[in-house]
Amino acid sequence: MVEREELRDVLAKFASGVTVVTSVDERGFHGVTVSAFCSLSLEPPLVLVCVANYSQSRDLLAAADRFAVNILSRGQTFLAEQFSGQTPLADPTFSRVPHRLSAGGLPLIDDAVAWLECHRWAVHDGGDHTIFIGQVETLGLGEQDDPLIHFDRTFTELSWG
């Protein structure tokens, strides 16, 4: 039997990028930090994100038809912490979050490495998480090249050379 904490310790050694998944509803903007993000398919263009079932963000994302994935840059640790609940959460207007609106009205975080705007394609059970699959509608690259990394339960940066 695999013990939960042992699994967490092993998986913490897998470095991943850090994203903030944003959506909008009648109450305003929402965002959640997600490190479980990956490309799923090129034809059609699909990505997936996994969100914990106990998270309020899971319910907000489940109700949204569209969402954006913002790939954070190395200088955006505060935003990763803010959207993971480690610091005070963003208000529904994102007044403390540098952002702009996509053509589709979704908040895109300024200075992110890249972003993808998605239409919800499918939702699947993933144990204690929910798997959201999005079909990419629009995307773009930011001016930053260095991504924020999550490794060994902490945010860090890539080391070159």
Side-chain angles (χ1 to χ4, degrees), residues 33 77-90 96:
T33 299
T77 300
F78 173 77
L79 292 174
E81 292 171 343
Q82 182 177 16
F83 286 107
S84 67
Q86 296 177 39
T87 61
L89 291 175
R96 296 183 310 138

Side-chain angles (χ1 to χ4, degrees), residues 23 51 55-67 120 123 130 132:
S23 62
V51 179
S55 166
Q56 175 187 13
S57 297
R58 182 254 175 238
D59 295 335
L60 295 169
L61 196 54
D65 289 333
R66 300 174 64 252
F67 60 89
R120 189 182 67 227
V123 178
T130 299
F132 294 93

Side-chain angles (χ1 to χ4, degrees), residues 16-86:
S16 65
V18 181
T19 68
V20 170
V21 177
T22 56
S23 62
V24 63
D25 69 13
E26 66 280 351
R27 293 167 289 187
F29 299 144
H30 309 284
V32 60
T33 299
V34 173
S35 57
F37 159 77
C38 68
S39 170
L40 179 60
S41 169
L42 295 176
E43 290 295 330
L46 302 175
V47 297
L48 68 80
V49 296
C50 301
V51 179
N53 290 339
Y54 61 82
S55 166
Q56 175 187 13
S57 297
R58 182 254 175 238
D59 295 335
L60 295 169
L61 196 54
D65 289 333
R66 300 174 64 252
F67 60 89
V69 179
N70 299 270
I71 302 172
L72 298 186
S73 65
R74 67 180 171 142
Q76 296 181 311
T77 300
F78 173 77
L79 292 174
E81 292 171 343
Q82 182 177 16
F83 286 107
S84 67
Q86 296 177 39

Side-chain angles (χ1 to χ4, degrees), residues 124-142:
H124 298 285
D125 176 51
D128 61 2
H129 280 62
T130 299
I131 303 164
F132 294 93
I133 299 174
Q135 183 166 4
V136 179
E137 296 176 332
T138 59
L139 48 85
L141 295 171

